């Protein structure tokens, strides 16, 4: 249920309404816009059917939300959400490019790549300290010291950092050391992890599960938001289909579709979506044209020696060229990079 308050509703009237809803056992989320305050009520709408909500002073309308997700929906919030990550605004006119190695390896290498992606125009550094690998015998990431390498890279370049959490017990570490916490595709439905990151206001990059529908994806975002965290970004990273020519199939229709259904920023990861460095630039450009608010791109100075995903990593020179091409596309559709 969404309750829209009248423009001249007083604070006392708002509090009266919120007190009553609390008394009835509902959780509320208040969104104060420039003209209107909107109250989202979390819980079973059917239990509100017999409540005379529009009889409350200050209330203009009460409308049930039809979508199964509520806080992430456009019905709840009409304007695009813009998330401030240490000064980098994600979800506005400017498209955010997050780039860096798949995995954090050595300190010097991480810092070196950070300088290179910054020179190319990236505004966020990516890098996994903990890697969710299909095989237990593959490189699992350097672990917590990887977050320190990223911090050093941030200190030298000023780039905020996105890194993936695998274990809810590491939350304090990530709150202290990462600017954006990534939930990877394999953990999109790890509900305990979603609830954990939902309990803070640290920005979260939620990746779409390998076989997740748009509905399941949005419901996972709803898990995070329903715990209070409003700083959620959605990342399309390719889904499993019958096609085996590339690693996954990039579902670009997800971009306008998610933007229609939700107010959250939509990011595209053309690297994991294709698994082939040759396909990364064309798909990154297509993502910009489709309306993505950001990109997550794997860049490595020596992909042939990378400990993880070298085959889909592009070199810094290619990244720079791609940034140049994407900025022309962005301009053509009234955006910037
Ligand atoms: C990653 O971004 O490092 C990653 C593992 O991606 P995904 O979860 O999309 O496979
Ligand atoms: Mn990777």
């Amino acid at each position: 249920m969404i309750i829209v308050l009248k423009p001249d509703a007083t604070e006392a009237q708002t509090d009266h309404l919120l007190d009553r809803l609390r008394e009835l056992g509902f959780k509320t989320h208040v969104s104060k816009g420039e003209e209107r305050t909107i109250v989202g009520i979390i819980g079973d709408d059917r239990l509100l059917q017999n409540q005379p909500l529009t009889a409350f002073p200050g209330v203009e309308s009460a409308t049930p939300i039809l979508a199964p997700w509520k806080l992430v929906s456009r019905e709840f919030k009409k304007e695009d959400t813009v998330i401030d990550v240490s000064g980098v605004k994600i979800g506005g006119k400017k498209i955010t490019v997050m780039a860096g190695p798949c995995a954090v390896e050595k300190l010097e290498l991480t810092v070196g790549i950070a300088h290179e992606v910054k020179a190319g125009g990236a505004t966020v550094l990516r890098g996994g300290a903990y890697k969710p690998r299909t095989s237990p015998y593959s490189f699992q990431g350097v672990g917590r010291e990887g977050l320190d390498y990223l911090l050093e890279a941030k200190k030298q370049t000023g780039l905020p950092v996105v890194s993936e959490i695998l274990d809810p017990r590491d939350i304090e570490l990530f709150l202290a050391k990462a600017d954006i916490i990534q939930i990877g595709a394999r953990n999109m439905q790890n509900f305990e992890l979603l609830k954990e990151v939902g309990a803070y206001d640290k920005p979260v990059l939620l990746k779409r599960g390998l076989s997740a529908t748009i509905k399941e994806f949005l419901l996972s975002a709803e898990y995070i938001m329903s715990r209070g965290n409003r700083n959620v970004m959605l990342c399309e990273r390719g889904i499993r289909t019958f096609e085996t020519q590339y690693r996954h199939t990039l579902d670009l229709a997800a971009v306008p579709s998610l933007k229609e259904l939700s107010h959250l920023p939509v990011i595209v990861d053309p690297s994991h979506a294709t698994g082939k460095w040759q396909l990364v630039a064309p798909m990154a450009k297509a993502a910009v044209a489709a309306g993505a608010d950001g990109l997550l791109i794997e860049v490595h100075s020596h992909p042939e020696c990378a400990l993880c995903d070298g085959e889909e990593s592009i070199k810094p020179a290619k990244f720079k060229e791609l940034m140049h091409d994407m900025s022309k596309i962005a301009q053509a559709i009234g955006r910037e990079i």
Side-chain angles (χ1 to χ4, degrees):
M1 183 77 75
I2 294 176
I3 300 186
V4 179
L5 300 182
K6 290 179 181 157
D8 58 357
T10 64
E11 210 149 300
Q13 289 171 336
T14 313
D15 289 344
H16 177 46
L17 172 72
L18 295 179
D19 287 345
R20 176 66 184 141
L21 289 167
R22 224 166 286 132
E23 228 173 76
L24 290 167
F26 289 99
K27 267 205 214 157
T28 53
H29 285 255
V30 181
S31 160
K32 285 199 162 80
E34 278 190 6
E35 291 177 12
R36 286 272 203 283
T37 295
I38 295 179
V39 180
I41 307 175
I42 311 307
D44 189 346
D45 276 1
R46 286 170 303 184
L47 301 175
L48 283 168
Q49 264 164 16
N50 297 322
Q51 297 296 327
L53 294 172
T54 46
F56 275 80
V59 169
E60 184 171 280
S61 64
T63 321
I65 301 185
L66 300 174
W69 46 85
K70 302 193 185 304
L71 299 171
V72 308
S73 76
R74 273 276 176 214
E75 286 165 293
F76 178 58
K77 186 165 177 274
K78 288 208 170 31
E79 326 82 62
D80 287 343
T81 285
V82 178
I83 301 173
D84 190 324
V85 178
S86 313
V88 176
K89 302 247 185 339
I90 305 179
K93 184 176 179 194
K94 193 166 157 52
I95 297 168
T96 306
V97 180
M98 311 179 195
C102 173
V104 177
E105 299 178 21
K106 297 223 158 38
L107 173 65
E108 307 71 46
L109 187 64
T110 309
V111 171
I113 296 174
H115 280 290
E116 290 188 288
V117 296
K118 179 169 183 178
T123 49
V124 176
L125 174 66
R126 69 144 286 147
Y130 296 89
K131 296 304 303 175
R133 304 306 299 280
T134 302
S135 164
Y137 305 118
S138 302
F139 174 60
Q140 303 283 311
V142 294
R144 65 192 293 139
E145 71 204 59
L147 291 168
D148 291 325
Y149 300 170
L150 289 168
L151 264 187
E152 179 57 29
K154 176 183 175 181
K155 206 167 116 198
Q156 292 194 27
T157 59
L159 295 178
V161 158
V162 55
S163 198
E164 178 171 354
I165 190 170
L166 296 183
D167 188 332
R169 290 170 295 189
D170 288 332
I171 189 71
E172 296 295 337
L173 186 65
F174 276 80
L175 289 173
K177 302 197 170 173
D179 299 280
I180 304 174
I181 301 180
Q182 177 173 320
I183 303 271
R186 287 153 193 84
N187 276 317
M188 189 206 82
Q189 285 188 317
N190 181 339
F191 301 115
E192 292 311 311
L193 190 57
L194 299 179
K195 286 193 250 173
E196 189 63 43
V197 298
Y200 305 88
D201 61 4
K202 177 72 81 177
V204 174
L205 178 89
L206 176 66
K207 299 188 90 174
R208 182 178 182 183
L210 274 65
S211 305
T213 62
I214 295 285
K215 181 175 170 180
E216 289 161 341
F217 189 18
L218 289 173
L219 283 170
S220 288
E222 186 80 16
Y223 258 95
I224 302 173
M225 291 194 79
S226 65
R227 288 295 296 258
N229 192 340
R230 292 160 188 225
N231 300 316
V232 180
M233 295 158 236
L234 304 167
C235 179
E236 162 59 38
R237 46 78 71 209
I239 49 175
R240 274 229 166 119
T241 68
F242 54 82
E243 184 55 74
T244 54
Q245 182 61 23
Y246 14 84
R247 191 171 176 185
H248 296 101
T249 298
L250 179 59
D251 178 13
L252 268 186
V255 177
S257 180
L258 289 168
K259 292 205 65 78
E260 187 185 341
L261 296 167
S262 173
H263 52 86
L264 298 174
V266 176
I267 314 297
V268 170
D269 172 351
S271 308
H272 292 92
T274 60
K276 291 187 174 179
W277 71 265
Q278 300 92 325
L279 303 182
V280 170
M283 290 299 97
K285 289 184 265 187
V288 172
D293 298 302
L295 289 135
L296 185 69
I297 301 177
E298 287 185 341
V299 177
H300 198 289
S301 41
H302 299 282
E304 69 283 6
C305 301
L307 296 180
C308 188
D309 287 349
E311 61 286 352
E312 68 192 35
S313 301
I314 56 172
K315 291 185 183 168
K318 179 86 189 159
F319 175 68
K320 200 169 185 174
E321 185 189 316
L322 170 61
M323 288 295 286
H324 180 71
D325 291 349
M326 288 194 297
S327 79
K328 287 193 276 188
I329 297 169
Q331 224 176 353
I333 57 165
R335 298 189 76 169
E336 299 163 12
I337 282 202

